[in-house]
Amino acid sequence: MSEIAPSQKTYSLYAGDFQFRTPQDQGPIQNAVFDNGVTPVSIRHLYSDATAPSYVVKLFREAFNDIQQGQSLYPFTGIVGMGDFLDLGCRQEETPLMFSIRQLLATSPELKFVLMARGNHDGGQYMGTVYSLKNFLGLIDDFWSDSREDYQQDICGGRGNTLTISSAIEFFDSLLRGPDHISPFSTIVSQVQTTGPSGYTSQGISFDFKNTKKVFDDLWHKDNHQDRWDAIIYKQEDAPPKNTGVKKSPDQKETDFSNIPGEVNQWIHLQAFKQTEFVVPQKGSVPIYQITLDTQDFTAADDDESSVKGHVSAFQIGVVKNFIDQKLAENPNAKFKIIMHYPFEVMESSSRRALKKLLGHDAVIMLFDAHRHIRRHDQDVSDQFDLDRNTPLPRISVPSTTDETPEIAIEEMSFDVQGTHYTIGLNYTFRGIEEEEIAPVDTHPLVYERLTELELSLTENKRKLYESLAAKEIDIAPLVNQNGEPKYIYLNEDEVIAQLDNSFAKGVANAGDCRISKIWHTLRLWFDYKDKLMNQMTVEASLPQMVLDFETFLIFARHIRDLLVDEGYKDLAVEMDKKISQMENEQMAFTNDFLSFSQTHSGDELSLYNDLYTRTDLDGLFNFINQRLPEESEAKLFAIIAGRRAAQEEAVYHDYSNIRQPAAPDTVIITQKYSFAEQ
C-alpha cells in the first residue's frame, strides 16, 4: 500500500492480450484454414512471435522509464494484466511469459504484475470455449471422434502439456505471489455448493451474502506479503475433487484439482489489490481498490452464446459485491476499479444483466477491458449499458501488446482536496515504441544494414516460392506487383492455403473480405472432414508452413550470427553457428520426409507433425533469441525490429484496418469529484 498526501499522484500500467506462443503451437490451429476463416485477427507471423517476449520487455521498460524520468517522486503501484497471457493454453507457453516477468523484475522490483485477469486463451481455452456443451460450438464434439483427449494431445504435443482451468489458475496465482510466498493450492481454494441466488454452503456450513463479514472471511484469502486478495472458487455441482493421498501434514491430504469431471464449468478466479490510499488529515482516507472479474466463468451459462462470448455468473457478482461491501464497511470513502478481459458488449445476455448490478454501484469509478485488440475510451458508459448511476462510469479498453501496433496504457492517478470534496484525476496515455526508439539509426548502423540485407534475402526466398507455385499452375497475380516482384517479403500462411487440394479449404482462402463466405466455407470444411479434418489441415497447411518457416528462420539465424561476430560476441556466435549447422543438416532430411509423408496420408499426421517439429529445434532458437542475446546488443535489437516488421507486414497482408480502428486519442483525461463520507 502507498499512503500519500493531498495533491499527489500514483502511476500504474495496464496491458492485455500478450498471447505468447511457441513454434509448435503455430501448426495445427494457428496456421490452419479454420483459424484463417473465422478469426483472422489472431494470425501473426511466426518470427514476430519469436521476438514478442523481448519486445514486450522493451515496451514495459520504456513506459516505466517515462514515469521515472517525469514523476520519480510519486509511487508506481504495479502492472495490471488483463488476460490472454498465453495463446493455446499450453505449458510451453509459460516459458516466454516467465522470461518476460523475470526480465521486468530485473529492471526494477517495482515492475511487477499485481493482478492477472484470466482471458479466454489462458488455459482450458479449447475445453471451455469449444467443448462446453452449453454452446453451439460444442456441436463439434459430436462430429469429431476421439475428441477431447486426442485434441489436447495434438495441440500441445501431449495431454500433460495442456493447462486445465485449475492448473492455469494455480500457475497465475504462483506468479503473483512470487517464488518465496507460494501457498499450497488446495489451501486457498473455496469449495462451495450454491443454495440459491444469495447463498451457498462451504465445508457443511451455510453462508448468506447478507452476512458480509462472514462471507468475506470465508471466500477472500489475503496474501500476507502484499495488499492483495484472491477468491478461488470451485463449485461442487457434480463430483467432488479426487483425493490423491499425498500428505499435506500428518493429518491432512493434498486435494488434486487437476482431473475433475466437468472441471471446465466449475471454476471462478477473482483478485483484488489495494492500489493506494490517499490520506487527508482530519478528514480520513480514500482507499482505491482494483478488482479483476473472471469472464471465463461457465458455472451458470444459460444460453448458446456463452463460449464465444464472455460470461460471469450472478454468484460471481455476489462475491465481488461482497468484497466491495466489506471494504465500504471498513471505510465508506473506498473506491473501486473493475477490470475484466471481455468487454461488456461481447458478454452473453445473462452476464450483462448480472454485471449491471455491479457496474451500477457509484463506488465503482472506472472500468477496464481488453480482448478486442483495440484502444477505446468512453467518458461514461452509463447510458450505453443502461446503468442506474448517479455518477459517470468511464471505460478504457487496452489493445494487444504483440500485434502490429502494440501498446500499453499508462495511468496517472491524482488526488486533490477542495474543502469537503475531493477530485480523482485519471489520465491515460497509450504507449508503443517506434523502430527509432528501439535502435536509433545514428547509433546502431549495423542493425539497419542487416535489416536491408534481410529484406533482400527474404525477397529472394519469396521469389523461389512463387516460382514453385507458378509451376503448379497456381495463380500468383495477387501476390506480386506489376513487375512480378513479391508484394510481401515475409512468408505467409495464405500462400500455403492457396495450394490446398480440398475445395472447401480453397473456398475459405478465396473468400476475400467476405466474412460470411469465409465462415460458411469453414463450417462446411468441418462437417466434410469430421475426425479427418485435423490430419487434412496438418498435411495441406501446417506441415508446408513449417517447411517454409524453417527456411525463413535459417535466414534470420545467419544474420544474428553475423551480427554477433561483428560485435565481438565470439562465444555466442560459435553457439549460434552450431545451431545453424544443426538446422541445415536437418533441413534436407526434414523436407524429404515431409514430401514423402504428404503423399501417403497415414492417418497419424499430427504425431508426425510433432516429431518433425522437435527436429527443427525452433523452440531452442526462440529461447536463444530471447534469453541468450545481450539486451542492448545489435543482434538483439535487430531481432526485435525484424519481429515488429514481420507483424506489421502480416497485418497489411490481411488488412486488419477495419477491425482495429483506434477509438481513443493518444491521451485520455478523466476527472471525477466526490464528497467525503462521514466516518
Side-chain angles (χ1 to χ4, degrees):
M1 181 188 74
S2 175
E3 296 185 356
I4 66 176
S7 302
Q8 292 206 25
K9 305 172 183 178
T10 63
Y11 288 85
S12 58
L13 299 176
Y14 293 80
D17 296 281
F18 300 77
Q19 293 183 231
F20 288 133
R21 59 193 182 200
T22 65
Q24 185 174 16
D25 305 334
Q26 285 267 326
I29 290 297
Q30 293 308 122
N31 281 324
V33 178
F34 185 81
D35 198 40
N36 184 60
V38 178
T39 56
V41 72
S42 71
I43 296 172
R44 298 195 305 268
H45 192 280
L46 184 58
Y47 195 76
S48 68
D49 287 321
T51 59
S54 294
Y55 177 83
V56 165
V57 170
K58 190 83 172 172
L59 176 59
F60 276 105
R61 283 176 173 167
E62 291 299 319
F64 186 66
N65 287 339
D66 289 350
I67 295 169
Q68 294 300 301
Q69 292 173 9
Q71 306 288 349
S72 59
L73 297 178
Y74 301 124
F76 177 75
T77 63
I79 304 170
V80 175
M82 298 172 60
D84 283 1
F85 299 91
L86 312 179
D87 195 61
L88 297 181
C90 300
R91 286 203 175 274
Q92 55 263 36
E93 294 169 346
E94 295 175 352
T95 300
L97 176 59
M98 290 189 292
F99 160 78
S100 301
I101 290 175
R102 285 195 301 268
Q103 292 296 305
L104 293 176
L105 290 174
T107 302
S108 169
E110 293 181 90
L111 203 52
K112 65 178 181 180
F113 284 91
V114 294
L115 294 172
M116 300 178 82
R118 191 162 61 91
N120 55 302
H121 287 258
D122 293 324
Q125 178 201 2
Y126 290 100
M127 291 177 291
T129 303
V130 173
Y131 284 126
S132 170
L133 295 179
K134 298 179 180 179
N135 64 78
F136 72 88
L137 284 179
L139 291 173
I140 292 173
D141 203 30
D142 296 329
F143 294 94
W144 196 346
S145 63
D146 304 320
S147 54
R148 288 178 177 81
E149 293 191 7
D150 281 356
Y151 185 78
Q152 295 171 30
Q153 171 78 24
D154 296 333
I155 202 64
C156 292
R159 193 182 192 287
N161 292 331
T162 303
L163 281 168
T164 63
I165 299 293
S166 53
S167 58
I169 292 172
E170 185 173 12
F171 169 63
F172 289 118
D173 180 73
S174 67
L175 291 179
L176 288 167
R177 291 176 183 271
D180 299 329
H181 308 298
I182 297 176
S183 299
F185 188 55
S186 61
T187 65
I188 55 175
V189 174
S190 301
Q191 302 177 44
V192 307
Q193 288 183 305
T194 54
T195 58
S198 62
Y200 64 95
T201 61
S202 176
Q203 308 294 334
I205 302 173
S206 296
F207 291 83
D208 190 295
F209 282 122
K210 294 178 182 178
N211 191 332
T212 302
K213 185 66 166 64
K214 185 178 179 182
V215 172
F216 180 84
D217 290 341
D218 184 59
L219 295 182
W220 288 94
H221 299 272
K222 177 87 161 52
D223 183 338
N224 294 326
H225 302 280
Q226 53 185 330
D227 281 334
R228 197 180 68 83
W229 294 259
D230 283 286
I232 302 176
I233 298 166
Y234 170 70
K235 290 186 69 179
Q236 295 175 279
E237 306 297 349
D238 296 320
K242 297 179 180 180
N243 196 306
T244 62
V246 178
K247 291 186 176 181
K248 267 194 324 188
S249 63
D251 58 346
Q252 290 181 304
K253 293 183 178 180
E254 183 71 40
T255 302
D256 178 20
F257 289 97
S258 64
N259 190 25
I260 302 169
E263 71 116 30
V264 168
N265 300 318
Q266 294 177 264
W267 287 95
I268 301 171
H269 184 199
L270 305 170
Q271 305 161 40
F273 178 69
K274 189 174 185 179
Q275 183 181 10
T276 193
E277 186 165 357
F278 299 100
V279 178
V280 183
Q282 287 83 48
K283 295 184 182 296
S285 64
V286 179
I288 308 293
Y289 296 91
Q290 298 162 313
I291 305 173
T292 65
L293 304 189
D294 186 344
T295 55
Q296 285 292 101
D297 169 7
F298 292 98
T299 60
D302 64 357
D303 64 38
D304 289 342
E305 301 175 306
S306 60
S307 68
V308 291
K309 296 190 175 184
H311 190 275
V312 297
S313 62
F315 178 78
Q316 177 184 158
I317 297 302
V319 177
V320 175
K321 289 182 68 177
N322 169 260
F323 183 91
I324 292 175
D325 290 344
Q326 176 60 31
K327 292 306 171 183
L328 285 172
E330 295 172 8
N331 186 334
N333 287 316
K335 296 290 182 284
F336 305 88
K337 300 174 181 178
I338 299 298
I339 296 137
M340 54 191 193
H341 179 70
Y342 274 98
F344 181 93
E345 297 93 324
V346 293
M347 303 288 281
E348 53 84 40
S349 55
S350 66
S351 298
R352 294 196 298 271
R353 290 193 298 270
L355 274 169
K356 286 168 64 173
K357 297 177 181 179
L358 172 66
L359 301 181
H361 203 306
D362 282 312
V364 175
I365 63 170
M366 194 70 205
L367 175 64
F368 298 88
D369 60 48
H371 183 66
R372 292 181 292 189
H373 295 214
I374 60 172
R375 70 159 79 159
R376 182 185 174 97
H377 158 246
D378 299 275
Q379 281 286 350
D380 185 13
V381 295
S382 299
D383 290 341
Q384 181 182 347
F385 297 170
D386 190 26
L387 305 178
D388 184 15
R389 292 178 58 93
N390 297 314
T391 57
L393 178 62
R395 188 257 298 269
I396 289 287
S397 298
V398 299
S400 168
T401 61
T402 49
D403 283 338
E404 76 282 0
T405 53
E407 293 179 322
I408 58 179
I410 303 174
E411 177 189 78
E412 175 190 274
M413 181 167 62
S414 61
F415 183 83
D416 293 287
V417 178
Q418 306 94 23
T420 59
H421 296 79
Y422 61 91
T423 298
I424 296 177
L426 296 166
N427 293 358
Y428 296 93
T429 301
F430 292 99
R431 177 65 153 96
I433 305 182
E434 301 295 332
E435 283 188 7
E436 181 67 18
E437 288 184 274
I438 297 173
V441 177
D442 56 343
T443 56
H444 296 86
L446 285 178
V447 170
Y448 291 92
E449 289 176 16
R450 284 291 167 184
L451 287 167
T452 300
E453 293 178 19
L454 171 68
E455 182 173 326
L456 295 174
S457 301
L458 292 176
T459 300
E460 180 61 27
N461 204 36
K462 206 65 165 290
R463 185 180 292 107
K464 292 177 182 177
L465 169 66
Y466 290 169
E467 289 173 356
S468 69
L469 292 175
K472 297 179 183 180
E473 298 183 352
I474 293 175
D475 181 18
I476 62 170
L479 308 176
V480 298
N481 60 26
Q482 293 179 345
N483 299 321
E485 296 293 325
K487 284 184 181 178
Y488 306 98
I489 296 170
Y490 291 85
L491 298 172
N492 181 282
E493 80 291 329
D494 275 6
E495 295 158 1
V496 178
I497 291 173
Q499 304 177 59
L500 300 184
D501 295 329
N502 180 269
S503 60
F504 291 131
K506 283 190 175 181
V508 176
N510 298 326
D513 296 330
C514 180
R515 189 168 177 80
I516 294 176
S517 179
K518 278 181 176 284
I519 293 174
W520 165 247
H521 284 291
T522 298
L523 292 176
R524 288 294 302 273
L525 182 63
W526 278 101
F527 286 102
D528 181 49
Y529 275 92
K530 301 179 182 177
D531 58 317
K532 296 180 181 179
L533 174 64
M534 288 303 290
N535 287 335
Q536 177 73 12
M537 289 194 298
T538 301
V539 171
E540 297 189 351
S542 297
L543 282 169
Q545 186 66 38
M546 185 193 290
V547 173
L548 299 177
D549 286 336
F550 195 12
E551 295 173 356
T552 303
F553 264 86
L554 274 170
I555 295 173
F556 281 106
R558 291 176 188 129
H559 283 289
I560 290 172
R561 175 199 58 196
D562 293 346
L563 276 170
L564 290 171
V565 171
D566 292 341
E567 293 183 88
Y569 293 108
K570 295 182 180 180
D571 292 342
L572 287 175
V574 169
E575 187 177 340
M576 176 60 92
D577 198 51
K578 289 180 179 178
K579 188 172 291 295
I580 291 171
S581 297
Q582 176 187 348
M583 294 175 70
E584 288 173 338
N585 291 335
E586 197 66 56
Q587 184 181 21
M588 183 62 70
F590 173 89
T591 304
N592 289 338
D593 286 353
F594 157 68
L595 293 174
S596 173
F597 163 76
S598 64
Q599 297 170 2
T600 60
H601 290 243
S602 66
D604 195 22
E605 282 78 357
L606 282 164
S607 294
L608 179 80
Y609 171 88
N610 287 327
D611 291 341
L612 293 181
Y613 159 78
T614 301
R615 285 164 53 183
T616 67
D617 192 32
L618 291 186
D619 268 348
L621 191 57
F622 266 40
N623 293 334
F624 186 91
I625 290 171
N626 289 299
Q627 301 184 37
R628 301 283 289 131
L629 295 181
E631 281 305 303
E632 294 302 318
S633 66
E634 304 282 306
K636 186 66 167 278
L637 298 176
F638 161 84
I640 294 174
I641 294 178
R644 286 295 88 218
R645 290 187 179 184
Q648 290 158 4
E649 184 164 298
E650 192 75 45
V652 171
Y653 194 104
H654 287 282
D655 188 15
Y656 298 147
S657 58
N658 62 328
I659 300 175
R660 298 180 183 147
Q661 285 292 340
D666 291 341
T667 300
V668 173
I669 300 175
I670 300 167
T671 304
Q672 300 279 29
K673 191 174 184 179
Y674 303 95
S675 300
F676 284 102
E678 295 184 5
Q679 299 187 54

